[in-house]
Amino acid sequence: MSDATPAAAPDSPDTPDYDALTRDIAEVPAVEVIVTVAVNLMSAAAVKLGLTEEGDAHKDLDEARKLISGLAGLLDASATEISSFHAAPLRDGLKSLQLAFREASIVPDEPGQGPGEKYTGAVYG
């Protein structure tokens, strides 16, 4: 006898309709995909910078550097494709993360050497 719970029958009212819940990737505009990825990178970088309610519990500046650099590269490559309506707030968020990184670093990077600054140029407060 197995301890595994049997799967619900396909026509059971408790079985979610995954087809209805999942958007076909072909229907998603490229701008939406880029912005969603950028927001995910920003959120992850904020966590790794210790900017969440949990503070330093997940702080990891090496990981934050990678996420911020990835975000900067994505924005640099896609800025002309997603319009300034979408790019401007993302750039503001990126700059805030870069400044937070600089503030959190015990040994600050030289201007232009911080995370993502090869794409954005030096970031000053």
Side-chain angles (χ1 to χ4, degrees), residues 4 11 19 27 32 35 48 58-59 70 87 89 95 99 106-107:
D11 55 338
D19 292 332
E27 297 174 13
E32 188 176 329
V35 170
K48 297 299 183 178
H58 302 287
K59 189 173 184 177
K95 182 176 180 182
L99 290 170
I106 296 170
V107 180

Side-chain angles (χ1 to χ4, degrees), residues 6 15 18-19 22 27 29 36 42 45 48 52 57 61 74 76-77 83 89 92 94 97 106-107 109 111 119:
T15 303
Y18 291 108
D19 292 332
T22 305
E27 297 174 13
T36 300
M42 291 173 77
K48 297 299 183 178
T52 61
L61 295 183
L74 174 65
D76 182 54
S83 81
D92 290 344
L94 171 60
L97 290 169
I106 296 170
V107 180
D109 295 314
Y119 301 108

Side-chain angles (χ1 to χ4, degrees), residues 22-37:
T22 305
R23 250 169 89 181
D24 185 7
I25 196 70
E27 297 174 13
V28 181
V31 170
E32 188 176 329
V33 173
I34 292 167
V35 170
T36 300
V37 169

Side-chain angles (χ1 to χ4, degrees), residues 36-58:
T36 300
V37 169
V39 169
N40 285 329
L41 288 167
M42 291 173 77
S43 298
V47 169
K48 297 299 183 178
L49 285 170
L51 301 176
T52 61
E53 288 181 12
E54 297 164 4
D56 291 343
H58 302 287

